[in-house]
């Protein structure tokens, strides 16, 4: 049988099919926010979700932290009551010695209690308080933009952003004060050990204490956040690029993001469903085009700012490496970082799936990602040690944990997952050191908040601890210029959004705070991120921000997509110049090939 006969038979079979499976069907749109409204997705979640598992998760994530936080004042009160009774029975030097001894015991024994209270307070803050503020701010902004649609100029949109931030702060503060007033009568701040034994008597006061503490914090913090957001430099489009002298050092940086590799030849992505491409052929053409460009005009770095995979599954990582393995010259220049689809997607086939806090599945997705990062850049990036110094390479940092990582991958289990609970977060930031004292370094951050549910899997947060390590690390290179790479966008773009869902749960929860921390680097750094799949280059004050368009998402197979090769240059006085980028277009294809 000849090749032409086989091709003719395949074409004839294709014509006889009532439904072409290569084009997908409604099942491929099941999790797609682009094909279904948020209300429709929420309805299906309520029908499919496991209520006992949801109740358990809420208990672990909300109720238990609230109980521990609210119980702390009662425990401290009981301890001080006992201390005062003991001291009342002592006199003179005995009193002083007893006081010192009890104080020492208290310092050692009660520091863990206060640490537990602090951790649970910030857990509640990250889970409910800060997202609540971000939701209110973006809701006000979205409503105002719809009212004044088509009438807002760039300065007007910046003023609107400031006003909505203040409005959100005031609204949330007023609501928090009202909640605190309602909770106050049920609170109780003092008690003895005998009171604590009777659990039924302290349940309500404990929860009321937690509500009052969190509400009081929200009342003050929301005002602080609102006015801080309003007073910061608002994001604006970058309309004028920098220039550089002919002899200045230049770096060519290809910026890719949100590739969303799938494991099936004709698989569709979660977010776009049939409105996006199927399979990974577009990625293969992107890499081939990039290799051709590099052969004639060498590229210094390739930054992939997250979402290499669609759901962090082993088969997707395998497909990603199959594509990259054909271009070792590109792999040698690639640095990448985790996106929310790499670590936070619980189940691509079931949007209602809930991941319990102690489930080993999240840890498994994290170690898959760490393994992938180590394979691509493990010998070129440095992990920041406890003293804030970029020390061991990623491969060396992971070497002591190799057996534990392999054991979890092969056998799973909560005990093995718990043993690696701090491993993922502890590797960030990663630093690609500058090639010279005044060269270009790359700081690789993890901006994924830990979440357990589909509606929150896109949340972004750069922790205070990671930020401090990042700031300490770059102080070791005082003359260097920097690319600060993370997945989530630090601020919402100064452009109208078509749907409210585009705004919520996407930008960094603490983005305004993080931008302020980066002000010290303004002029000698650029921020590169992905996540929103939107092509945008702008600035907050002197801090330049580059958003990578997804060269894969948001378009069907026959549509053209693009990415950019950015040109960075050494400017005077340690500045980093951003020159006009080169746009690389990737043509579409008519339909999947028959194989």
């Amino acid at each position: 049988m000849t090749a032409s006969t086989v091709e003719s038979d395949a074409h004839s079979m294709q014509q006889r099919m009532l439904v072409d499976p290569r084009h997908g069907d409604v099942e491929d749109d099941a999790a797609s926010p682009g094909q279904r409204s948020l209300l429709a997705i929420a309805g299906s979640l309520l029908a499919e979700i496991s209520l006992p598992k949801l109740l358990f998760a809420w208990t672990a994530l909300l109720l238990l932290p609230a109980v521990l936080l609210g119980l702390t004042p009662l425990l401290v009160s009981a301890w001080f009551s006992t201390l005062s009774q003991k001291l009342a029975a002592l006199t003179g030097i005995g009193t002083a010695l007893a006081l010192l001894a009890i104080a020492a015991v208290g310092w050692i024994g009660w520091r863990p209690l206060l640490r537990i209270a602090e951790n649970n307070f910030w857990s509640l803050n990250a889970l409910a308080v800060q997202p609540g503020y971000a939701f209110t701010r973006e809701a006000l902004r979205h409503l105002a933009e719809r009212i004044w649609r088509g009438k807002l100029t760039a300065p007007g949109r910046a003023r609107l952003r400031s006003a909505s931030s203040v409005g959100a702060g005031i609204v949330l503060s007023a609501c928090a004060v009202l909640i605190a007033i309602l909770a106050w009568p049920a609170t109780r701040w003092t008690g003895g050990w005998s009171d604590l034994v009777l659990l039924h008597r302290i349940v309500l006061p404990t929860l009321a204490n937690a509500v009052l503490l969190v509400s009081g914090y929200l009342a003050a913090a929301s005002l602080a956040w609102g006015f801080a957001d309003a007073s910061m430099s608002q994001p604006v489009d970058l309309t004028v690029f920098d220039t550089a002298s002919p002899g200045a050092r230049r770096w060519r940086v290809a910026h890719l993001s949100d590739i969303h590799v799938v494991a099936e030849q004709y698989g569709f992505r979660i977010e776009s469903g049939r409105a996006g491409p199927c399979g990974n052929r577009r990625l293969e053409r992107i890499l081939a085009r990039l290799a051709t460009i590099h052969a004639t005009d060498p590229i210094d770095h390739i930054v992939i700012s997250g979402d290499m995979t669609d759901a962090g599954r082993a088969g997707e990582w395998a497909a990603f490496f199959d594509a990259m393995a054909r271009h070792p010259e590109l792999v040698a220049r690639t640095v990448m970082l985790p996106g929310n689809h790499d670590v936070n997607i619980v189940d691509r086939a079931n949007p209602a799936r809930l991941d319990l806090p102690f489930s080993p599945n999240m840890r498994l997705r994290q170690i898959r990602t760490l393994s992938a990062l180590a394979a691509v850049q493990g010998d070129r990036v440095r992990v920041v040690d406890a003293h804030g110094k970029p020390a061991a390479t990623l491969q060396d940092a992971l070497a002591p944990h190799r057996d534990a990582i392999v054991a979890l991958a092969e056998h799973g289990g909560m005990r093995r997952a718990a043993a690696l609970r701090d491993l993922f977060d502890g590797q960030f930031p990663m630093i690609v050191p500058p090639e010279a004292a005044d060269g270009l370094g790359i700081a690789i951050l993890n901006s994924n908040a830990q979440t357990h549910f589909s509606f929150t899997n896109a949340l972004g947060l750069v922790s205070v601890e990671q930020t401090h390590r990042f700031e300490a690390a770059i102080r070791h290179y005082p003359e260097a210029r920097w690319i600060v790479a993370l997945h989530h966008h630090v601020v919402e773009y100064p452009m109208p959004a078509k749907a409210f869902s585009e705004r919520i749960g996407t930008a960094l929860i603490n983005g305004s705070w993080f931008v302020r921390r980066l002000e010290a680097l303004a002029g000698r750094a650029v921020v590169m991120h992905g996540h929103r799949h939107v092509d945008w280059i702008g600035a907050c004050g002197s801090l330049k921000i580059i958003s990578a368009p997804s060269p894969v998402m948001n378009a069907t197979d026959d549509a053209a997509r693009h990415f950019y090769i950015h040109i960075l240059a050494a400017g005077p006085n340690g500045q980093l110049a951003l020159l006009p980028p080169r746009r690389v277009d990737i043509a579409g294809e008519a339909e999947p090939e028959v194989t």
Side-chain angles (χ1 to χ4, degrees), residues 178-189 208-209 211-212:
L178 178 60
I179 293 173
I181 292 173
L182 294 175
W184 174 257
T187 60
R188 182 178 176 184
W189 304 98
N209 289 352
V211 170
L212 185 66

Side-chain angles (χ1 to χ4, degrees), residues 349-370:
N350 181 7
R353 181 77 178 273
L354 184 69
D355 216 10
L356 294 176
F358 50 77
S359 169
N361 294 331
M362 174 176 285
R363 205 71 62 224
L364 186 59
R365 294 191 297 272
Q366 289 177 346
I367 67 168
R368 285 176 189 151
T369 303
L370 276 182

Side-chain angles (χ1 to χ4, degrees), residues 514-584:
F514 187 64
V515 168
R516 290 177 183 274
R517 303 296 298 194
L518 292 177
E519 286 179 352
L521 280 176
R524 47 186 284 244
V526 296
V527 175
M528 288 187 170
H529 69 80
H531 191 48
R532 270 291 297 274
H533 310 166
V534 175
D535 180 352
W536 184 72
I537 302 176
C540 283
S542 300
L543 181 67
K544 298 181 181 69
I545 302 172
I546 300 172
S547 170
S550 171
V552 173
M553 300 290 286
N554 298 355
T556 51
D557 289 297
D558 58 347
R561 297 297 291 166
H562 65 275
F563 65 92
Y564 288 98
I565 297 176
H566 294 279
I567 316 299
L568 306 177
N573 302 317
Q575 298 292 293
L576 180 63
L578 178 61
L579 308 185
R582 174 182 175 180
R583 172 171 167 147
V584 181

Side-chain angles (χ1 to χ4, degrees), residues 207-558:
L207 294 177
N209 289 352
V211 170
L212 185 66
L213 289 171
V214 174
S215 298
Y217 168 75
L218 176 58
S222 59
L223 287 177
W225 293 335
F227 283 96
D229 283 355
S231 61
M232 69 175 285
S233 298
Q234 300 300 315
V236 296
D237 297 333
L238 189 67
T239 56
V240 179
F241 288 91
D242 299 321
T243 59
S245 60
R249 173 72 171 96
R250 283 173 166 78
W251 298 273
R252 288 166 46 80
V253 181
H255 188 190
L256 300 175
S257 192
D258 298 88
I259 298 167
H260 290 259
V261 168
V262 292
E264 304 85 6
Q265 181 179 359
Y266 296 109
F268 289 91
R269 276 78 181 162
I270 295 172
E271 290 187 13
S272 57
R274 287 177 293 171
C278 68
N280 301 314
R281 292 180 304 279
R282 190 186 294 266
L283 171 61
E284 295 165 359
R285 288 185 286 123
I286 290 168
L287 295 176
R289 180 71 184 280
L290 200 53
T292 300
I293 294 172
H294 174 67
T296 57
D297 200 355
I299 295 169
D300 296 281
H301 300 288
I302 301 170
V303 175
I304 307 180
S305 52
D307 281 0
M308 284 72 68
T309 66
D310 199 47
R313 301 173 69 183
E316 294 170 346
W317 280 117
F320 173 79
F321 279 112
D322 283 347
M324 295 292 289
R326 302 184 186 100
H327 305 282
E329 73 283 4
L330 300 183
V331 175
R333 291 158 175 79
T334 297
V335 293
M336 58 190 194
L337 52 93
N340 64 299
H341 277 256
D342 301 315
V343 296
N344 276 347
I345 300 297
V346 176
D347 186 345
R348 77 183 318 273
N350 181 7
R353 181 77 178 273
L354 184 69
D355 216 10
L356 294 176
F358 50 77
S359 169
N361 294 331
M362 174 176 285
R363 205 71 62 224
L364 186 59
R365 294 191 297 272
Q366 289 177 346
I367 67 168
R368 285 176 189 151
T369 303
L370 276 182
S371 176
L373 298 183
V376 170
Q377 63 214 35
D379 59 345
R380 290 181 286 119
V381 299
R382 302 280 173 173
V383 175
V384 180
D385 64 17
H387 304 288
K389 181 179 180 180
T393 65
L394 177 60
Q395 285 185 345
D396 291 340
L398 295 179
H401 308 281
R402 177 181 176 81
D403 291 342
I405 289 173
V406 172
L408 177 61
E410 292 185 353
H411 306 291
M414 290 187 291
R415 179 179 56 82
R416 296 184 183 91
L420 296 172
R421 64 181 178 275
D422 298 323
L423 181 65
F424 184 76
D425 291 334
Q427 308 311 309
F428 297 94
M430 300 176 189
I431 301 294
V432 178
E435 75 283 2
D438 59 349
L440 179 69
I442 304 176
I444 302 165
L445 305 180
N446 170 37
S447 60
N448 295 285
Q450 285 201 13
T451 64
H452 309 275
F453 190 51
S454 59
F455 268 12
T456 60
N457 62 41
L459 284 177
L461 178 73
V462 177
S463 68
V464 174
E465 181 181 0
Q466 183 182 179
T467 303
H468 288 166
R469 289 202 301 265
F470 158 68
E471 292 171 336
I474 63 176
R475 283 196 290 269
H476 289 275
Y477 308 97
E479 301 177 28
R481 287 105 170 161
W482 291 96
I483 293 174
V484 180
L486 69 166
H487 182 58
H488 293 75
H489 46 304
V490 294
V491 292
E492 285 293 342
Y493 306 122
M495 60 179 66
K498 295 180 180 179
F500 185 48
S501 59
E502 294 180 14
R503 295 183 181 274
I504 296 305
T506 54
L508 287 181
I509 292 174
N510 59 342
S512 299
W513 173 83
F514 187 64
V515 168
R516 290 177 183 274
R517 303 296 298 194
L518 292 177
E519 286 179 352
L521 280 176
R524 47 186 284 244
V526 296
V527 175
M528 288 187 170
H529 69 80
H531 191 48
R532 270 291 297 274
H533 310 166
V534 175
D535 180 352
W536 184 72
I537 302 176
C540 283
S542 300
L543 181 67
K544 298 181 181 69
I545 302 172
I546 300 172
S547 170
S550 171
V552 173
M553 300 290 286
N554 298 355
T556 51
D557 289 297
D558 58 347

